Amino acid sequence: MKKLKLITRNFRFFFPLILKSYPILIILLIFGALLNSASSFIWILLPKEIIEELTGDKNITKLIIIVLVFVISNFIINTLSDISSRKCSYYARKADFKIDKMVNDKIMKVDYFRLESPEFKDLVSRAKKGMNEYSSGIYSIIYNLQSVVSTIVTISGVIGIIIFSKQYLVMLVSALAIVLNYIVETKSKKIEKDFNDSFVRFWRKLNYYNRNIFSFQSQKELRMYNCKKMIDDTCEKENSEAFKLYRINARKNQKLWSFEGFVYIFLTRFSAILLLTYSCYKGNITLAVFSMLFSSLETFDGQVFQLISTLKQYFQECEYQNDFIDLMEYKSVFKNGKLPLDELTSIEFKNVSFKYPGCENYVLENVSFKIDNKEKISLVGLNGSGKTTLIKLLCRFFKVDEGEILINGINIEEYDYENYMAKLAIVFQDFYIISFKIKRG
């Protein structure tokens, strides 16, 4: 049920986005899936016709026609599939750029206090890595859905061929192999997910240290205070922990892969060949049908394993991409106001108390004052007395714990955020200049 909810949520979020931005991706998805299925059936059915003709009438004209149909149809399908894949990749990458823009827009518009939250920073890190590294973003969604459609169509056709040939025992052996493979794949994906989740904090810390090492701005301090050994030792410690996680993950996967190899070789290959050979020896099937059924079983096993793997991969990527959806669905607590602010006539702090998130001590306690638009006011105080905090609260970077801030006698949260911020011009002491042309600034 959890998996179904996760996949449903992923589909409901991304499918309308794809349909709205690049609907051609849906057409390419279906077209590519049908081409893949057609290619599989050609490799199953046409070799059977060739073998039957070689062991039967040996009509050279018919043989040439079958071979030409086989070669030309494969060429056409492969060409169309390649074109479809390239187009799909092109539009998927364009959609991924849109995803990147959505992340950037969200970070620029999210409530400021969240930017100082370690939990929010972890979420942003997981969202970016989930869309760009642990999965392939929109491309992986399209590829997985295309693979699911293609394998279901192919499996349905192959089951019909095997049932029509009455080789039920062979089908049973393949089904057993599929169940075992499903168990292995489930365990493998869980191991990989747990590993990637545990590595997020390591990635952030290592990225922080490396950024400081390679930053020109930090080189003066690194040299003046001889920080090289401290950073080297810290990086060495973090790297050791990271490599330890890699080793544990590799050992777990190696055991699973060994078991999967045994299942694939013994059940899927050895047992199927033995049963088909026996049926052919007894005269129950011809050599041509033997060839067709063996190809069908190979296709069936491969397609079912691919379907299981794709569904597991899709579910795993849904888990990674779920962090991106969580990020996009973050609701603002400061930007819900609707009132326009035409003119700023007064600013009033009324019994305001505030402490920063995660801190126990109040920076401001029961602060009250009022400033009219005709006054020029200078706030003077020691470092850490709360002068900058007053401005941050006025800018709606944080929500006051007690009291309220009024503009023109109305709580600042009642005003439309964009309209409200357009009336303020703030220069902080730790300001940052973005390297744009003066004209754009």
Side-chain angles (χ1 to χ4, degrees):
M1 186 60 69
K2 176 186 174 183
K3 293 182 178 180
L4 182 60
K5 287 182 178 179
L6 200 60
I7 291 173
T8 302
R9 187 188 187 206
N10 184 278
F11 187 82
R12 285 179 175 175
F13 183 87
F14 284 107
F15 193 78
L17 180 65
I18 295 169
L19 199 59
K20 181 180 178 181
S21 303
Y22 301 101
I24 192 173
L25 277 171
I26 307 301
I27 299 172
L28 292 170
L29 183 156
I30 297 171
F31 183 62
L34 294 177
L35 286 174
N36 291 337
S37 296
S39 178
S40 298
F41 288 122
I42 286 173
W43 278 96
I44 291 173
L45 298 174
L46 288 183
K48 169 185 172 289
E49 298 297 324
I50 293 173
I51 294 173
E52 279 190 344
E53 197 59 39
L54 288 172
T55 57
D57 298 335
K58 298 183 180 180
N59 187 319
I60 189 66
T61 304
K62 190 174 180 181
L63 273 171
I64 292 173
I65 292 173
I66 295 172
V67 170
L68 284 174
V69 170
F70 181 62
V71 172
I72 293 172
S73 59
N74 265 298
F75 173 77
I76 293 172
I77 288 175
N78 288 338
T79 301
L80 291 176
S81 182
D82 183 61
I83 294 171
S84 174
S85 178
R86 289 174 184 273
K87 288 288 185 182
C88 191
S89 178
Y90 170 75
Y91 284 107
R93 294 311 175 197
K94 288 188 71 174
D96 281 334
F97 287 135
K98 186 178 182 67
I99 293 295
D100 290 339
K101 184 177 183 301
M102 289 172 65
V103 173
N104 294 335
D105 288 347
K106 191 67 177 181
I107 293 173
M108 291 178 67
K109 293 180 179 179
V110 74
D111 293 326
Y112 180 84
F113 75 91
R114 298 196 189 278
L115 300 178
E116 298 186 353
S117 163
E119 291 76 16
F120 183 78
K121 290 178 180 178
D122 282 347
L123 176 62
V124 173
S125 178
R126 290 198 306 270
K128 286 183 176 181
K129 293 179 78 66
M131 289 300 294
N132 298 323
E133 293 185 34
Y134 299 153
S135 76
S136 298
I138 296 296
Y139 182 81
S140 68
I141 296 171
I142 295 298
Y143 173 80
N144 286 327
L145 291 176
Q146 185 182 79
S147 181
V148 168
V149 173
S150 175
T151 50
I152 289 176
V153 172
T154 305
I155 288 168
S156 301
V158 169
I159 288 175
I161 292 173
I162 296 174
I163 291 176
F164 183 77
S165 303
K166 299 180 181 179
Q167 296 298 311
Y168 306 117
L169 187 57
V170 175
M171 195 75 187
L172 182 62
V173 170
S174 295
L176 178 60
I178 289 164
V179 172
L180 293 174
N181 181 266
Y182 174 81
I183 295 171
V184 172
E185 283 288 328
T186 301
K187 184 67 175 176
S188 177
K189 298 300 182 186
K190 185 179 184 304
I191 290 172
E192 187 176 350
K193 176 67 169 58
D194 291 343
F195 168 74
N196 287 330
D197 284 346
S198 66
F199 202 71
V200 169
R201 279 290 174 95
F202 280 106
W203 180 85
R204 277 189 59 208
K205 286 190 284 187
L206 289 172
N207 185 57
Y208 171 78
Y209 296 134
N210 288 329
R211 189 169 66 246
N212 277 282
I213 291 172
F214 291 109
S215 171
F216 290 115
Q217 294 178 340
S218 63
Q219 291 304 312
K220 294 192 298 293
E221 285 74 15
L222 291 177
R223 284 163 169 75
M224 286 181 62
Y225 302 108
N226 195 23
C227 298
K228 181 180 183 300
K229 186 177 186 306
M230 181 181 68
I231 291 182
D232 285 346
D233 291 344
T234 306
C235 287
E236 183 66 28
K237 179 183 176 183
E238 296 297 336
N239 282 330
S240 297
E241 292 295 325
F243 289 137
K244 182 179 178 181
L245 287 176
Y246 272 117
R247 284 195 299 272
I248 294 172
N249 184 64
R251 287 170 188 163
K252 290 179 179 179
N253 277 319
Q254 188 59 52
K255 292 177 182 178
L256 285 174
W257 294 336
S258 298
F259 178 72
E260 186 179 25
F262 168 77
V263 170
Y264 179 75
I265 293 172
F266 182 77
L267 286 178
T268 306
R269 287 290 176 264
F270 177 74
S271 301
I273 292 174
L274 190 64
L275 291 170
L276 287 176
T277 301
Y278 180 77
S279 293
C280 190
Y281 175 77
K282 285 293 186 178
N284 296 328
I285 57 175
T286 64
L287 185 61
V289 174
F290 174 91
S291 172
M292 181 188 70
L293 288 175
F294 185 72
S295 295
S296 297
L297 283 172
E298 279 199 321
T299 302
F300 176 77
D301 293 336
Q303 292 294 302
V304 171
F305 290 159
Q306 183 178 335
L307 179 61
I308 293 172
S309 178
T310 300
L311 289 174
K312 290 294 178 185
Q313 181 72 21
Y314 183 42
F315 170 68
Q316 186 180 44
E317 292 184 353
C318 283
E319 287 186 307
Y320 294 138
Q321 294 166 0
N322 196 49
D323 291 317
F324 171 81
I325 299 175
D326 286 341
L327 177 62
M328 290 299 105
E329 293 182 350
Y330 249 87
K331 301 298 183 183
S332 172
V333 297
F334 293 141
K335 301 179 181 179
N336 301 320
K338 303 295 183 184
L339 293 178
L341 178 59
D342 298 323
E343 185 181 3
L344 196 154
T345 59
S346 67
I347 299 173
E348 182 178 3
F349 277 63
K350 194 172 183 180
N351 303 320
V352 171
S353 295
F354 172 75
K355 59 183 176 181
Y356 284 100
C359 297
E360 296 182 359
N361 298 326
Y362 280 92
V363 180
L364 302 172
E365 281 192 271
N366 198 29
V367 174
S368 298
F369 63 85
K370 185 176 181 180
I371 304 172
D372 292 323
N373 63 348
K374 295 182 180 180
E375 293 181 284
K376 293 183 179 180
I377 301 295
S378 175
L379 296 176
V380 180
L382 298 174
N383 288 339
S385 60
K387 302 185 297 298
T388 302
T389 301
L390 289 172
I391 301 302
K392 288 181 177 180
L393 293 176
L394 186 63
C395 291
R396 292 162 72 171
F397 286 174
F398 297 92
K399 190 178 180 69
V400 299
D401 294 308
E402 297 175 19
E404 59 181 343
I405 303 173
L406 308 175
I407 296 290
N408 302 344
I410 300 173
N411 192 303
I412 59 174
E413 294 182 19
E414 298 293 324
Y415 290 108
D416 174 77
Y417 183 80
E418 302 295 337
N419 180 253
Y420 175 85
M421 290 302 295
K423 304 298 181 183
L424 302 179
I426 309 294
V427 179
F428 291 101
Q429 59 186 7
D430 55 346
F431 65 89
Y432 178 75
I433 298 177
I434 302 175
S435 298
F436 285 145
K437 294 181 179 180
I438 294 176
K439 181 180 179 181
R440 297 195 66 183

